[in-house]
Amino acid sequence: MLTTVPRGTKDILPADIGAWRYLENTMRDICARFGYEEIRTPIFEHTELFQRGIGDTTDVVEKEMYTFTDRGERSLTLRPENTASVVRAYVEHKLYAENSPTKLFYIGPMFRYDRPQAGRYRQFHQFGVEALGAVGPNIDAEIIILAVTVLQSLGLKDLKLKINSVGCPKCRPEHRNRLQEFFKPKFNELCKDCQSRFDRNPLRILDCKVPHCGELSVGAPSLGECLCEECSSHFEKLKELLTSAGLTYEVDTNLVRGLDYYTRTAFEIQYTPLGAQSAVCGGGRYDGLVKEVGGPETPGIGFAMGMERILLALESQNLIPDTNFSTDVYAICTNEENFSLTFKTVIDLRREGLKAEFDFNGRSMKAQMKQANRYNAKYVLIFGEDEVKNGKVVLRDMLNSDQKEIDLKDITTILKAEVQNNE
Ligand code: HAM
């Protein structure tokens, strides 16, 4: 127990960090291009925020939240997603009083008590964006294009973009009635959860993970058949904009998202080779959420991507650039008398902005050379006994094995220039 991580969580080791940084940097760069600014909200929030925001008939709220009571008897929950928190922050800090739309992004860990498997974890990371305060389909198109741009910039192909409209409070009652009519004769065959969803929120039956409920849902009336005029025209304009931006998409009238706050546009991007956990991105519009959380009526739309799933996809396609740890200079000390000088040189080089390393364990010269290779050092400085006596040191270029003697006083200037020239 003491030496294993909790089920569904993972360590991200130094060897993996390069890939994570690469992913995060790509996401940050593209957000900057699209004008989205970063927001960081707490890892835990009041439980009620998620119950109200995500909806208490969803699997996420009913079964997957890490909820605990703190020492002050407050019910808190580790965030299972970040949209509700961003909306809470938007209301709390009155961001709606600033420039509209407010365009935000985030990267961070989320927590769901899910059944762990490849691509499904209990602590996972999402990159997400949220745009608040724009009502028209242009922002829907921008958000979807942003998501596709991120995935394409990483080199992923075989992406499937699915879009749907899940209607609004005006057209939903009609769909709800039709769904109840459809499921009434099958009621006894539904799982216990779906039987309770039948009255509370029959749309959720379509999203049930129990296979038999999935079979019973085949042929269920789709929302598309019940959309009001405004929702239909919003959806038509969105499709036009996506087409004009050159995106290929599939309209999937069965696309139901797992969270209750969605209105109108809903979308998912799948990376099909990932199989069961192929959804790498999911999002949609949530025009009622800001009000639900206590703010002024404000439309919103966003998405989140599962970063572990994207990394799995990139690894399978060899799309992660080489990010081996490397140092600029490794300083080798051959006798104890020269150690202080070696140490001071390394510290000076670091002060000048170079990556410099030395040996901590009094290793032999051969073993230090090996260490230098392990660090992928570009240069090695050898503080040999005779050379140091003459005010010199050996500088070795590890790429072509060229060696030369340089004056001790010139070390920093020469190395800075060499490293810069090779960048
Ligand atoms: P979601 O569909 O629940 O939406 O999650 C978005 C993405 O997070 C999924 O497509 C998947 O890639 C990843 N994901 C979800 N659960 C797990 C898990 N257990 N392990 C690994 N990855 C996972 C949301 O969370 C919404 N907040 C998205 C959104 C933002 N909608 C509007 N704005």
Side-chain angles (χ1 to χ4, degrees):
M1 277 279 273
L2 277 180
T3 52
T4 48
V5 289
R7 194 165 138 73
T9 69
K10 276 208 298 196
D11 293 312
I12 301 175
L13 297 174
D16 310 321
I17 289 292
W20 279 85
R21 285 249 175 101
Y22 164 67
L23 194 56
E24 290 168 10
N25 289 342
T26 307
M27 291 162 168
R28 286 175 201 283
D29 284 353
I30 292 170
C31 280
R33 262 192 252 166
F34 279 71
Y36 286 71
E37 288 184 290
E38 183 165 0
I39 182 165
R40 300 186 191 187
T41 60
I43 300 286
F44 55 84
E45 297 271 357
H46 294 292
T47 303
E48 201 193 341
L49 174 70
F50 301 119
Q51 284 168 337
R52 294 271 297 273
I54 300 174
D56 47 18
T57 51
T58 58
D59 271 1
V60 171
V61 170
E62 274 189 335
K63 302 180 187 162
E64 297 171 2
M65 294 209 302
Y66 279 91
T67 298
F68 60 98
T69 310
D70 76 359
R71 287 168 196 268
E73 297 300 314
R74 298 170 197 91
S75 179
L76 300 171
T77 294
L78 298 186
R79 59 183 189 192
E81 59 103 54
N82 212 23
T83 309
S85 312
V86 168
V87 166
R88 196 257 321 126
Y90 175 80
V91 175
E92 183 168 347
H93 303 286
K94 299 192 173 54
L95 299 184
Y96 44 83
E98 294 168 18
N99 204 11
S100 176
T102 307
K103 306 210 287 186
L104 304 166
F105 82 90
Y106 50 83
I107 292 175
M110 309 293 155
F111 307 84
R112 293 186 193 177
Y113 191 78
D114 240 327
R115 206 161 51 82
Q117 50 193 287
R120 187 171 281 280
Y121 313 98
R122 290 184 175 168
Q123 174 173 335
F124 59 99
H125 295 75
Q126 282 187 344
F127 154 65
V129 314
E130 313 292 347
L132 292 132
V135 73
N138 332 14
I139 195 88
D140 305 33
E142 171 173 288
I143 287 267
I144 294 175
I145 293 166
L146 197 171
V148 172
T149 308
V150 167
L151 296 169
Q152 286 179 342
S153 308
L154 293 164
L156 287 176
K157 298 190 179 80
D158 298 323
L159 295 166
K160 197 183 262 181
L161 166 63
K162 290 183 169 184
I163 59 169
N164 191 20
S165 176
V166 295
C168 69
K170 214 165 119 188
C171 37
R172 284 229 185 111
E174 163 74 10
H175 184 236
R176 187 191 158 95
N177 290 343
R178 289 205 203 175
L179 276 179
Q180 282 177 330
E181 262 167 48
F182 177 82
F183 282 115
K184 207 184 247 163
K186 309 172 182 208
F187 184 84
N188 291 334
E189 284 186 68
L190 293 169
C191 74
K192 283 266 157 322
D193 286 338
C194 282
Q195 289 187 350
S196 111
R197 288 167 180 148
F198 181 86
D199 277 323
R200 292 158 75 204
N201 189 355
L203 188 67
R204 287 264 74 88
I205 301 175
L206 306 180
D207 191 39
C208 181
K209 287 174 190 141
V210 175
H212 191 54
C213 294
E215 288 157 20
L216 293 174
S217 300
V218 174
S222 76
L223 250 163
E225 302 160 24
C226 312
L227 291 185
C228 65
E229 225 176 281
E230 289 94 326
C231 286
S232 291
S233 105
H234 187 99
F235 195 43
E236 286 311 311
K237 281 190 201 124
L238 169 64
K239 287 192 275 184
E240 264 172 50
L241 289 168
L242 293 179
T243 306
S244 72
L247 261 64
T248 349
Y249 56 83
E250 183 188 310
V251 175
D252 178 357
T253 51
N254 293 321
L255 179 69
V256 180
R257 306 266 308 121
L259 313 160
D260 268 355
Y261 46 62
Y262 292 110
T263 52
R264 296 195 169 164
T265 309
F267 67 97
E268 253 174 37
I269 305 177
Q270 296 177 339
Y271 177 69
T272 35
L274 282 184
Q277 310 306 327
S278 63
V280 289
C281 173
R285 184 168 268 284
Y286 45 86
D287 290 345
L289 187 57
V290 179
K291 183 118 191 274
E292 182 68 38
V293 166
E297 200 155 325
T298 312
I301 177 161
F303 68 74
M305 294 186 180
M307 297 179 67
E308 284 82 358
R309 291 191 190 173
I310 296 174
L311 282 170
L312 282 174
L314 295 181
E315 270 161 26
S316 71
Q317 300 295 304
N318 266 329
L319 285 170
I320 299 175
D322 201 0
T323 50
N324 277 345
F325 179 79
S326 70
T327 194
D328 295 322
V329 194
Y330 191 94
I332 293 182
C333 176
T334 61
N335 59 339
E336 235 182 289
E337 293 85 85
N338 286 342
F339 182 74
S340 297
L341 176 64
T342 315
F343 179 76
K344 185 181 175 305
T345 309
V346 167
I347 301 299
D348 284 348
L349 288 168
R350 287 177 179 167
R351 283 194 180 123
E352 287 297 320
L354 294 180
K355 293 188 269 177
E357 260 309 333
F358 64 98
D359 171 47
F360 289 90
N361 291 341
R363 291 182 173 90
S364 70
M365 163 133 176
K366 198 170 149 204
Q368 289 186 59
M369 207 56 186
K370 258 196 186 157
Q371 280 291 98
N373 278 321
R374 221 170 268 152
Y375 279 100
N376 290 316
K378 297 183 191 112
Y379 296 92
V380 161
L381 278 177
I382 306 168
F383 289 80
E385 207 174 334
D386 294 340
E387 288 86 354
V388 171
K389 270 187 200 142
N390 296 327
K392 305 259 181 204
V393 66
V394 174
L395 174 65
R396 182 183 170 94
D397 184 330
M398 296 295 274
L399 202 64
N400 52 23
S401 305
D402 279 354
Q403 264 185 214
K404 61 183 173 197
E405 277 191 5
I406 58 171
D407 285 346
L408 282 172
K409 61 173 176 29
D410 297 333
I411 291 180
T412 335
T413 335
I414 293 182
L415 270 169
K416 266 180 94 170
E418 292 267 355
V419 169
Q420 260 166 20
N421 282 345
N422 285 331
E423 258 168 10

